[in-house]
Amino acid sequence: MTTKYVALDESHRKNVNGEESNRAKIISKSGEMKEKRLSRTSHSKDDYEEAVRPGQPRSVTEVETLNNRAIRLASLGKEEEAIQFYFRSLRLLKIDLGAISTKLDDNPDDERWRTEWLIVAAKIAEIRTAIAILYERLGAYNKAISSCKEAREIYEGSPLTLNNDGIPAREVETGLRQMDMMLERLNTAKGSYVARKNLHQEAIEVRKLILTTRNSAKLDDLYRKAFVLLTGVLSMEKECLGETHPQVADTLQIISRTHKERGEIKDAIKQMNTSLLILKLCLGPHHPRTGITFQELAKLYDERSATIGDIDMAVGLYAQATTSFRQCYGEKDVMVGASLNNEAVLHIKQSNYDLAVEKLSDALIAYESSTMHKDKSINTDSSQVWKNLGECYTRRNEYESAHFALNNALEVQKDARLQAEKAGKPVSAGCSDASLADTLLRLGNATKLTLRYEDAHQIYKEALLIYRLHYASAHRASNGRVSDALSDAQDRLAHTLYCIAEVQEIRGIYEDARSLFSESLQLRLTSDAQREKDRMNMLHCAMALAGIGSCHVKVSEFDDAASSYKESLRYLEAHGVPPDHELKMKLSKCLEEAQKGLTSENMLSDESPGMDSASEMDIESKRLMDEGQFDEAIEILEKALAIRRRRLTNRLKEEIITESLEEREDVAMTLVNYAAILSKKGEVRQAEMLTREAIRMYKSNGYEESDHEVRCLQEQLEDLKDMHVL
């Protein structure tokens, strides 16, 4: 199982039906509810009341400033605030209009005041229209209609006429006609509201059935029904609201998501693109609904990934989403952080780790002021950013930085978990058992790469405990039936066991490592046997068998090692790994070494006349090492080590304690010599492994940390660690 980097899960920002983000959902479920909320909005009198004497000229700049502020707020999705600024502007214009009307009563033919009246009346009508559009966008149709009627009444009460027959001036007539058209459109939208809402609700119910249906034929029927309903409501919305109405864009997004569920990514992208164009046109590029749509379209391009162009398109869309959210909410907001994180994930996929680190660092800054949800619970979104940052550092071989980042991720999750448990609240997905175990595995890997093997072992064991419980739970829930959840639990447990086995092998605890590799292998085999097709674990089985073979080699069990390597290669062939693949070539070489060791073992006898043959080999290897003939020295030491390991195994089987102690020290001495040669060759990690095994051999013989032999080897181990870091 490979380490994954993931984009943030935004399910906690979606409603029950998963159709819209709570934050971005501007259209209310009912106009009445939204009107009630608007009516409760309180503002101080000073916000929009100013004492102005009738007839006093009103500053055009002041009105324009208020209008521009309202337009800006509306473009950022703050419709209610925008309406209040429009009201302040209207208050000022009405005072001016009253003053101008007084002047016209005194002098009806004064062209200057007639022109002023038309200008102010047109501006009031323009603002009232803008307010009506915002109310309609919020679903408050009664308020929208009322706003248009007020604008119409201004024109109806106009003091301007062409002559004494009461016919209004041409400009007034145009204004009346425009207001009538606006009222007609709003009444049409209001009249179709219930029908449109019912169609949407029916489509939602069908989509709920889709989520719980497993029969493929029934699923096809449900999807057909969903598309018929959604196409019908889309047609009605275009007719009643217009082609470029935000609600049309919302329905197109639902259609897009339905196509995505069916795997029809091309159609999903097409519908989402159309939705985005509409929202950019009617709401602007910085509206939160537009920002959300940038993100949704980016996800579709990322999922398709048919070409490099798709990934580049997704990156650009995420960048535009980030710009939108920054304009709406500022630099430090969860939406900004989520968008930056998602963009960073794409950079990781493209191996552009430097840029990914830059985006993730910005994402962490964005989360600084959003460490808590509104209910005061800890926000765990930042933990995923830390995990992705740890992934980048790992890939850049900056293991200490990776360890730091992943440790931060774990701290956020554990704090959130502790808080939820103390409050008796459900644990969120961000600090669930599965999420914690995933972080522990990543942290264990980073810790291992910093050469802190004992710490890594403890971290992996913590993850193992969670995955064993998860597997037991999945097994009970399956009731003996095959399920995806059970197979997934088996694979995760198998991966964790493999990670621990690797660390134990490095630490020189070969018996435990071999047992863990074997358990991992059996879980992988069982998991694959449960799948009817797409058996995906052959490569993992091959790696587990290679680990078993390596452990056998370490204790000179060459026959068993060769068998394990042969089986490992068979799994690679079954998986379709080509002969020239690096992994296959490496395992083939391991098999050759195991077979050479087996041949040497058969040729060498336990006892030799005169000087011990293994001791002679030690002396000869030292001479070769001094002469710089490292490969020849290694070849001799491998034979010496094989002899001494076999002797130790035989003494342990015979339970000859004294000779076992002697043989163990001989093995340790050979291991130290072997490590010295490897370190000179630059094979530091292998030298480190052998040194650890030598220390374990001495400790098994009763040596303490303070004893000279162990202390010297510990110092050598620290030197090797430093070399490894360099």
Side-chain angles (χ1 to χ4, degrees):
M1 183 180 297
T2 55
T3 302
K4 294 182 179 179
Y5 36 85
V6 296
L8 282 176
D9 183 3
E10 296 179 8
S11 60
H12 60 286
R13 300 191 186 94
K14 297 187 178 181
N15 61 17
V16 174
N17 300 315
E19 300 297 350
E20 299 182 54
S21 165
N22 287 333
R23 185 161 195 175
K25 186 175 180 183
I26 307 301
I27 297 178
S28 65
K29 291 184 178 179
S30 74
E32 289 73 22
M33 289 175 64
K34 181 60 74 173
E35 289 182 29
K36 185 176 180 181
R37 190 173 71 178
L38 285 170
S39 66
R40 291 199 300 267
T41 305
S42 61
H43 293 268
S44 65
K45 186 177 180 181
D46 292 338
D47 280 346
Y48 46 83
E49 278 193 14
E50 296 182 33
V52 181
R53 296 190 307 276
Q56 179 183 348
R58 177 58 53 189
S59 169
V60 174
T61 304
E62 191 173 356
V63 172
E64 286 301 314
T65 299
L66 290 169
N67 287 349
N68 290 337
R69 183 74 184 275
I71 292 168
R72 170 71 174 165
L73 288 167
S75 73
L76 299 178
K78 300 175 182 179
E79 280 84 353
E80 294 176 19
E81 292 180 49
I83 288 170
Q84 294 305 318
F85 275 92
Y86 277 134
F87 278 147
R88 291 170 64 178
S89 181
L90 280 176
R91 175 80 176 176
L92 302 179
L93 289 170
K94 282 182 179 179
I95 293 172
D96 280 353
L97 193 68
I100 295 168
S101 296
T102 301
K103 293 288 186 182
L104 282 171
D105 288 341
D106 296 338
N107 190 1
D109 297 325
D110 191 321
E111 190 62 33
R112 182 169 65 89
W113 291 116
R114 289 169 64 90
T115 303
E116 283 294 322
W117 191 95
L118 286 171
I119 291 172
V120 175
K123 195 66 180 176
I124 290 174
E126 178 188 326
I127 294 172
R128 277 292 178 189
T129 302
I131 291 173
I133 290 171
L134 293 179
Y135 273 135
E136 189 261 355
R137 189 185 296 174
L138 294 168
Y141 289 108
N142 291 335
K143 289 192 174 184
I145 290 170
S146 175
S147 185
C148 275
K149 283 181 177 178
E150 287 180 32
R152 194 181 193 288
E153 287 169 2
I154 289 174
Y155 283 118
E156 284 179 336
S158 168
L160 304 183
T161 54
L162 290 174
N163 46 46
N164 295 326
D165 58 9
I167 299 174
R170 179 172 55 83
E171 294 86 352
V172 174
E173 189 175 16
T174 301
L176 283 167
R177 189 166 58 252
Q178 289 174 343
M179 288 302 101
D180 286 339
M181 290 171 61
M182 185 70 179
L183 281 167
E184 182 182 0
R185 189 175 74 80
L186 287 171
N187 281 314
T188 301
K190 181 183 177 182
S192 67
Y193 175 75
V194 174
R196 289 185 286 112
K197 181 182 176 183
N198 289 340
L199 277 174
H200 266 296
Q201 189 58 43
E202 194 175 345
I204 287 169
E205 294 303 320
V206 171
R207 284 171 62 78
K208 285 181 180 178
L209 288 173
I210 287 171
L211 294 174
T212 58
T213 302
R214 294 292 176 264
N215 183 282
S216 57
K218 198 171 181 181
L219 265 178
D220 288 339
D221 289 339
L222 287 170
Y223 272 117
R224 274 194 292 271
K225 186 176 180 180
F227 279 122
V228 168
L229 289 167
L230 291 169
T231 303
V233 75
L234 181 65
S235 177
M236 187 183 295
E237 286 167 349
K238 286 181 177 180
E239 183 179 348
C240 299
L241 306 177
E243 296 273 347
T244 58
H245 193 278
Q247 185 57 51
V248 172
D250 291 342
T251 303
L252 284 168
Q253 290 194 31
I254 299 172
I255 295 172
S256 173
R257 281 191 282 274
T258 308
H259 278 301
K260 180 189 173 186
E261 289 168 11
R262 289 175 58 81
E264 299 163 353
I265 302 297
K266 184 178 179 181
D267 292 327
I269 288 175
K270 180 181 177 182
Q271 300 295 341
M272 194 64 74
N273 254 318
T274 306
S275 174
L276 179 61
L277 288 172
I278 292 171
L279 291 175
K280 286 167 70 176
L281 180 65
C282 63
L283 301 181
H286 299 147
H287 195 281
R289 286 166 70 183
T290 311
I292 293 278
T293 309
F294 278 130
Q295 282 204 126
E296 293 302 312
L297 187 55
K299 289 176 188 175
L300 290 172
Y301 276 113
D302 179 25
E303 186 170 332
R304 186 171 71 173
S305 297
T307 63
I308 294 296
D310 281 347
I311 297 294
D312 291 340
M313 181 68 76
V315 168
L317 288 164
Y318 276 130
Q320 290 181 77
T322 301
T323 301
S324 296
F325 295 140
R326 277 175 169 157
Q327 291 288 331
C328 295
Y329 312 122
E331 290 287 338
K332 296 183 179 181
D333 186 84
V334 292
M335 299 298 283
V336 175
S339 185
L340 286 165
N341 178 73
N342 293 339
E343 183 184 345
V345 168
L346 295 180
H347 290 308
I348 294 173
K349 288 181 179 180
Q350 293 180 310
S351 301
N352 195 345
Y353 305 123
D354 293 342
L355 191 52
V357 167
E358 179 185 325
K359 297 299 178 183
L360 290 167
S361 299
D362 288 345
L364 288 172
I365 293 171
Y367 279 114
E368 276 182 4
S369 60
S370 307
T371 55
M372 296 286 184
H373 292 296
K374 289 183 179 179
D375 62 356
K376 303 302 181 184
S377 61
I378 294 173
N379 184 355
T380 56
D381 288 354
S382 62
S383 67
Q384 186 59 60
V385 180
W386 280 115
K387 285 203 278 189
N388 290 342
L389 196 56
E391 181 71 18
C392 289
Y393 285 134
T394 299
R395 303 241 180 150
R396 295 202 312 192
N397 300 326
E398 298 173 18
Y399 303 129
E400 288 293 348
S401 296
H403 182 273
F404 173 78
L406 291 163
N407 206 45
N408 281 344
L410 188 63
E411 284 181 7
V412 171
Q413 290 175 299
K414 286 188 172 181
D415 287 346
R417 175 115 183 186
L418 183 62
Q419 184 194 56
E421 289 173 349
K422 282 184 176 179
K425 294 181 179 180
V427 174
S428 69
C431 56
S432 64
D433 286 343
S435 184
L436 278 170
D438 174 69
T439 307
L440 285 164
L441 275 177
R442 297 187 191 209
L443 179 59
N445 184 51
T447 307
K448 179 181 71 175
L449 292 170
T450 60
L451 312 182
R452 298 196 284 269
Y453 300 117
E454 288 78 7
D455 292 343
H457 181 240
Q458 292 304 315
I459 294 168
Y460 281 140
K461 282 177 67 177
E462 195 175 344
L464 181 64
L465 176 61
I466 295 174
Y467 281 129
R468 284 203 188 279
L469 291 171
H470 179 57
Y471 172 60
S473 176
H475 195 272
R476 285 193 301 271
S478 68
N479 290 322
R481 296 189 302 271
V482 175
S483 69
D484 292 339
L486 180 60
S487 295
D488 180 68
Q490 286 173 318
D491 288 340
R492 290 181 185 278
L493 178 56
H495 174 62
T496 310
L497 289 163
Y498 182 88
C499 290
I500 298 175
E502 280 190 314
V503 170
Q504 293 298 77
E505 183 186 356
I506 292 172
R507 295 174 71 199
I509 310 173
Y510 302 122
E511 191 63 35
D512 189 30
R514 192 166 67 234
S515 174
L516 291 164
F517 279 131
S518 298
E519 188 179 354
S520 176
L521 173 64
Q522 290 307 313
L523 283 166
R524 293 288 191 183
L525 291 171
T526 305
S527 172
D528 257 8
Q530 294 168 351
R531 294 183 173 91
E532 294 181 6
K533 56 181 181 178
D534 297 331
R535 296 190 172 180
M536 53 188 281
N537 281 331
M538 290 183 180
L539 183 60
H540 297 297
C541 291
M543 295 305 297
L545 283 162
I548 293 170
S550 178
C551 290
H552 281 305
V553 167
K554 297 295 189 341
V555 294
S556 302
E557 295 171 352
F558 298 112
D559 193 12
D560 292 331
S563 298
S564 296
Y565 285 134
K566 285 177 183 177
E567 195 172 354
S568 176
L569 287 166
R570 283 196 293 271
Y571 274 104
L572 288 182
E573 288 172 7
H575 188 73
V577 176
D580 59 346
H581 191 277
E582 182 182 358
L583 178 59
K584 197 165 187 178
M585 293 172 68
K586 186 175 180 180
L587 284 177
S588 297
K589 186 176 180 181
C590 289
L591 175 59
E592 289 177 14
E593 294 297 327
Q595 289 171 335
K596 282 170 63 178
L598 182 61
T599 303
S600 300
E601 187 179 53
N602 292 334
M603 290 174 61
L604 295 167
S605 62
D606 253 351
E607 304 297 335
S608 299
M611 183 180 283
D612 179 3
S613 58
S615 299
E616 291 176 348
M617 291 176 182
D618 279 335
I619 295 169
E620 179 63 14
S621 66
K622 191 173 186 312
R623 182 186 67 79
L624 291 168
M625 182 178 71
D626 292 339
E627 294 175 0
Q629 300 180 49
F630 299 132
D631 291 336
E632 291 81 356
I634 287 173
E635 187 176 347
I636 290 175
L637 275 177
E638 284 178 346
K639 294 177 182 178
L641 190 58
I643 292 172
R644 285 182 164 155
R645 284 192 191 280
R646 191 173 64 172
R647 285 178 179 171
L648 175 59
T649 303
N650 291 338
R651 299 298 180 265
L652 290 171
K653 287 178 181 178
E654 295 166 4
E655 297 184 355
I656 304 174
I657 297 175
T658 304
E659 291 190 17
S660 296
L661 294 173
E662 292 174 358
E663 294 294 349
R664 194 176 279 119
E665 289 201 19
D666 287 342
V667 171
M669 182 185 68
T670 306
L671 286 167
V672 171
N673 292 339
Y674 199 166
I677 296 174
L678 289 173
S679 66
K680 287 182 179 292
K681 284 190 67 181
E683 298 177 16
V684 180
R685 183 167 180 175
Q686 185 70 16
E688 188 184 337
M689 289 171 60
L690 294 175
T691 305
R692 286 181 181 278
E693 188 183 357
I695 292 172
R696 188 172 64 84
M697 288 284 181
Y698 278 118
K699 287 184 176 181
S700 297
N701 269 12
Y703 285 81
E704 301 290 339
E705 290 281 349
S706 57
D707 288 332
H708 175 73
E709 290 83 352
V710 175
R711 197 169 64 251
C712 287
L713 288 178
Q714 290 285 14
E715 290 174 1
Q716 290 179 29
L717 190 60
E718 290 302 317
D719 291 340
L720 288 170
K721 285 182 181 180
D722 291 341
M723 290 172 66
H724 196 165
V725 171
L726 289 172

